[in-house]
Amino acid sequence: MSVVSEQIPTEPISAVGVLSSPSKAPDDYFVVAQTTDGSDADLWKDGLFKSKVTRYLCFSRKPGPDVVEDVKLTDIKDALPEGFVAVQETLDTNEAAMRKRRLCVKISPRAVAHTAVFDIRVLGKSKFHLLNYTCMGEINNMGIWYRKGEVPHLPSSQERFSRVPSDVPSDIERRTSSRPECERQSSSGGSTVAVGQGQGITQQRNAMDDVPFGIAQRFYDTPKEMQQVNLMGITIKSLAEIEEEFHYNFSTERSIVA
C-alpha cells in the first residue's frame, strides 16, 4: 500500500545531522523524532536491553550557498562513497552518531546542483511506503526515506541586468543625454544678447547678474560685548578708540619746520 505524499517543500535541505536529544536541536533544524505512524524514531534503541542512549535524525532547510544533493546509508565497514562525507558525530554532544551503520551526505553548491534532497522521513514497521520517496536503507527495523526534487535557482546579477526592458536607457545613453539637458536649462535660465550685428557673437547673462552684493551693516559696528574686554590684561578696543587714544597731530614737527 502507498501513503499519499504531501506537497514538496519549497526549499531543499541544506544540512543533515544526528542529535542525542530532540530538545537540543540547533536553530533552524527540524528533528525527525517520530516515525510516520507515530512511533519513536530513535535510531540507537536496542530491542533486548533498554539503553539510555538515543539518536535522532535532523536537517535544516535554511537557504545558503550549498544544498544536500544526495544521501546514502552504508555499513560502517564499507568504503565511503565518492563525493560523500560521513555524519560521524552528534551535533549536540560530539558523540558517535550511529553504530553499525553510517549516514553519508553529498553536499553541492546550489548554483550548479540540478536536484537535491527536500525531505527525510522515518518509517516504522508498517508495510506502507511513501509515494515519490526513496528508501536509503534500514536501521533498527525502521526505514529511512528521502525525497528529491529540482533545485530552484535564483537569477544571477548578470541575468537580472540582461532582463532590463529595452525602453530603459542605458548608462551611456543617460550620460550622453544629460549634457544637452543641462544646456537647455542654462539657456532657459538667462537671456541671449547680441553684441555685434551680424557678428554672431552672443553673451550669456546669468540669472544672478545685476544682483547687488555687500556686507551687512551689522558687521561694520563693533558689538558691545567686544568693547572693553580684558583678556589677561589685554584690552580689546575698536578702531575709533585706538585712533582717539593714539592720535598725534605732528604739531612739534611742523613748528620746527616753520
Side-chain angles (χ1 to χ4, degrees):
M1 297 179 64
S2 300
V3 178
V4 179
S5 64
E6 300 177 359
Q7 185 177 2
I8 189 170
T10 57
E11 280 294 326
I13 293 176
S14 55
V16 177
V18 176
L19 295 170
S20 65
S21 173
S23 61
K24 298 180 180 179
D27 295 338
D28 302 317
Y29 271 76
F30 175 80
V31 182
V32 187
Q34 292 185 334
T35 63
T36 54
D37 57 3
S39 302
D40 186 15
D42 178 18
L43 304 177
W44 191 283
K45 60 185 177 180
D46 195 332
L48 298 177
F49 303 97
K50 210 168 184 183
S51 175
K52 295 182 180 180
V53 179
T54 56
R55 296 290 185 266
Y56 295 91
L57 277 175
C58 65
F59 58 84
S60 173
R61 293 193 183 96
K62 185 178 181 179
D66 300 324
V67 294
V68 176
E69 185 176 352
D70 201 2
V71 288
K72 290 182 181 294
L73 194 62
T74 66
D75 189 83
I76 194 68
K77 298 179 181 180
D78 294 341
L80 190 67
E82 185 178 357
F84 285 74
V85 294
V87 180
Q88 298 180 348
E89 298 179 344
T90 56
L91 294 177
D92 51 346
T93 60
N94 295 327
E95 297 175 313
M98 295 181 181
R99 59 176 182 177
K100 298 181 181 179
R101 305 286 279 172
R102 180 171 55 190
L103 178 63
C104 304
V105 181
K106 183 178 182 180
I107 305 294
S108 297
R110 180 169 184 157
V112 299
H114 298 290
T115 60
V117 179
F118 278 75
D119 195 22
I120 299 177
R121 300 288 183 90
V122 178
L123 268 67
K125 298 179 181 180
S126 62
K127 301 299 181 180
F128 289 87
H129 72 271
L130 297 174
L131 190 63
N132 297 324
Y133 281 71
T134 303
C135 182
M136 73 171 82
E138 289 188 358
I139 299 180
N140 294 333
N141 295 322
M142 295 182 298
I144 313 297
W145 294 67
Y146 65 96
R147 182 173 181 176
K148 299 186 69 173
E150 294 185 359
V151 179
H153 292 287
L154 299 176
S156 62
S157 57
Q158 184 176 1
E159 291 174 348
R160 289 197 297 268
F161 291 145
S162 64
R163 294 178 184 175
V164 176
S166 57
D167 56 344
V168 177
S170 64
D171 185 58
I172 296 178
E173 292 174 346
R174 286 195 296 269
R175 290 199 302 266
T176 304
S177 59
S178 61
R179 183 173 179 179
E181 182 66 22
C182 294
E183 292 176 352
R184 288 194 295 270
Q185 292 178 359
S186 176
S187 61
S188 60
S191 58
T192 303
V193 180
V195 177
Q197 181 70 24
Q199 296 178 356
I201 302 176
T202 60
Q203 179 183 1
Q204 294 286 341
R205 297 190 60 190
N206 191 280
M208 298 299 293
D209 289 350
D210 301 329
V211 176
F213 290 91
I215 301 176
Q217 184 63 33
R218 60 190 180 92
F219 292 107
Y220 285 107
D221 299 332
T222 303
K224 293 182 180 180
E225 58 271 16
M226 292 297 295
Q227 296 181 6
Q228 302 300 328
V229 177
N230 192 316
L231 298 177
M232 299 179 63
I234 301 176
T235 302
I236 300 178
K237 299 181 179 182
S238 65
L239 179 61
E241 291 174 338
I242 294 174
E243 290 181 348
E244 181 179 357
E245 181 177 353
F246 298 98
H247 176 71
Y248 185 72
N249 57 9
F250 295 95
S251 59
T252 302
E253 288 78 4
R254 290 194 183 91
S255 62
I256 295 174
V257 173

